[in-house]
Amino acid sequence: MSTSTGNPLTAEVGSAALKSAISKAARHLMPMLVILYFVAFLDRTNVGFAEAALRTDRGVSAGAFALGAGIFFIGYALFEVPSNLLLKRFGARFWLARIAITWGIVAAAFAFTTNDVMFNVLRFLLGVTEAGLFPGVIMFLSEWFPNKVRVQMFAIFYLAQPFSQMIGAPLSGGLISFGDSLGFARGWQVMFFVEGLLAVIAGIAALFFLTNSPAKAKFLDEDEKAALIDVMALEDRVRTEDGPTGIWRAMGNWKVWYFTVIYFALQIAVYGTTFYLPQQVASLIGKKVGWEVGVISALPWLVGLFACYFFGKAANTIVRRRAWGTACYVLTGLTIVGSGWAGANHQPVLGILFITLAVASFLTVGPITWAYPTSFLTGAAAAAGIGLINSLGNLGGFVAPLMRTSINDAVPTPSGVWGVVSLGVFAFVAAAMVFGTKYFRTAKSDELLEPVAHH
């Protein structure tokens, strides 16, 4: 038997109708959102599998590849906040579908890349067309799920990353091998075209499977709908008391900028590792990029899948979120540095182990990081604030490959160890900043995280 601690928010979260509504909403919405992010992450990172082939077949230089890998995030950053505001105006169902269809068309166009300039233009356009997907989903989930279960939902959404790499890495490697056997096209062309087409199909499907708000949800009965609407309305009121109101106040709020820096550091670790993962694995095991490298590259994401889901589900108190967030950032930094050391010292088993732990830790900490801004942002302020955090934070994805390449050029080593080590430094900065939230005034919506007493 359970009894409430007396907190009305906790009592609401414990109601049977609300629990049923949350369960139904998760079953109806999360699979489609995971699929959208799955194909988005696949189309962002599959370029790593084509690096060597683009250099050989189209003369795309290492410098142009590094610029193209990162310039995605410039287009992404420029259009992120406007896209999020348009999502707020047109509704998540239509706008998320539009995003997926347009970026899928651009992703497929990579099959026709002819030179450095075209490669960089397409990478920029991919960022422009995909802008708003991730922060739009984060905002969408913060309007559907109360704070107590929000990290769990963010974690389920994040599962698209490991799924895209577990399935996507062998898929990309397999499509390249299959395409090379056809005779009329290159393997990398087949990979880009097929994986871009998947995004178009996912976007069309989103029109049928997403619902803009609990009030419009046909899959909820009246009691469930009322319970969910009431608790989210209550959360909105206390978030309005805590956080900024309006677009410009949100974009000038110091807490929004604080979490932007944390997210920037996270993205340096994520994309600095992800973009070069196939090449790093190939170097460790002494094989060319292909099916075998694709399978081994999927292993870290398999471990990350379980870590992300387990810790996301359990991170339902303020103390757990702060402690686990700090620990995961520290682990991310240590293991990225460790993977560089293993490569320099020809330790393939240790290298794969360190990469696996790095992926597991940065996947786990992502949903926890997003719990903080969604605890005090709502309405138009959420659209602007979440968009700003994601857009500027994602510039870490632009900085990471350029920084890694520049450091390797400045301090050349056979394994490129110093470029890898540089990525880990930022994770330690993020760890200190997450720990620093201990000294913040607790957001009123965090009362939802207070435990329910059991007897």
Side-chain angles (χ1 to χ4, degrees), residues 32-259:
M32 189 68 250
L33 297 175
V34 169
I35 289 170
L36 286 173
Y37 196 36
F38 170 93
V39 289
F41 206 78
L42 185 65
D43 287 332
R44 284 187 197 183
T45 59
N46 61 6
V47 68
F49 283 90
E51 180 185 9
L54 284 168
R55 186 180 303 121
T56 302
D57 293 348
R58 297 293 185 264
V60 177
S61 65
F65 180 82
L67 176 61
I71 204 171
F72 164 91
F73 294 99
I74 300 298
Y76 196 84
L78 289 174
F79 289 88
E80 190 88 315
V81 173
S83 179
N84 232 29
L85 293 172
L86 288 169
L87 182 145
K88 192 72 179 172
R89 178 177 178 180
F90 291 110
R93 174 179 163 272
F94 168 78
W95 198 249
L96 293 177
R98 193 284 305 164
I99 289 171
I101 292 168
T102 52
W103 105 61
I105 292 170
V106 173
F110 275 88
F112 308 102
T113 301
T114 56
N115 52 38
D116 287 6
V117 173
M118 185 174 179
F119 176 73
N120 286 324
V121 168
L122 285 174
R123 284 295 295 181
F124 178 78
L125 289 176
L126 190 66
V128 170
T129 51
E130 196 196 314
L133 174 75
F134 184 91
V137 172
I138 293 296
M139 184 172 67
F140 180 61
L141 293 177
S142 72
E143 294 172 348
W144 266 94
F145 297 99
N147 204 9
K148 181 74 173 176
V149 298
R150 197 172 297 145
V151 171
Q152 181 182 353
M153 297 305 146
F154 290 164
I156 292 172
F157 178 55
Y158 259 74
L159 294 183
Q161 288 190 32
F163 274 127
S164 74
Q165 300 306 314
M166 284 168 52
I167 300 170
L171 175 63
S172 295
L175 284 172
I176 289 174
S177 299
F178 173 71
D180 282 338
S181 71
L182 293 177
F184 61 84
R186 303 294 293 165
W188 59 271
Q189 292 179 303
V190 173
M191 178 196 72
F192 280 131
F193 190 81
V194 171
E195 293 180 356
L197 186 61
L198 290 177
V200 175
I201 295 170
I204 294 170
L207 289 170
F208 298 94
F209 288 99
L210 294 182
T211 304
N212 284 333
S213 66
K216 297 180 179 179
K218 294 180 180 178
F219 56 81
L220 299 177
D221 66 32
E222 291 306 312
D223 288 342
E224 292 165 342
K225 190 178 294 187
L228 187 54
I229 290 172
D230 286 350
V231 77
M232 295 312 298
L234 183 55
E235 255 202 35
D236 277 347
R237 287 198 295 274
V238 296
R239 282 190 287 183
T240 301
E241 292 174 19
D242 268 335
T245 55
I247 296 168
W248 297 111
R249 287 185 179 179
M251 294 178 74
N253 183 268
W254 73 269
K255 280 188 178 181
V256 168
W257 285 93
Y258 188 91
F259 292 110

Side-chain angles (χ1 to χ4, degrees), residues 268-269 336-337 399-400 402-405 407-408 416-428:
I268 283 185
I336 287 176
V337 171
V399 170
L402 295 177
M403 179 180 71
R404 181 168 173 167
T405 302
I407 290 175
N408 285 338
V417 59
W418 293 112
V420 177
V421 168
S422 67
L423 305 174
V425 173
F426 287 85
F428 297 120

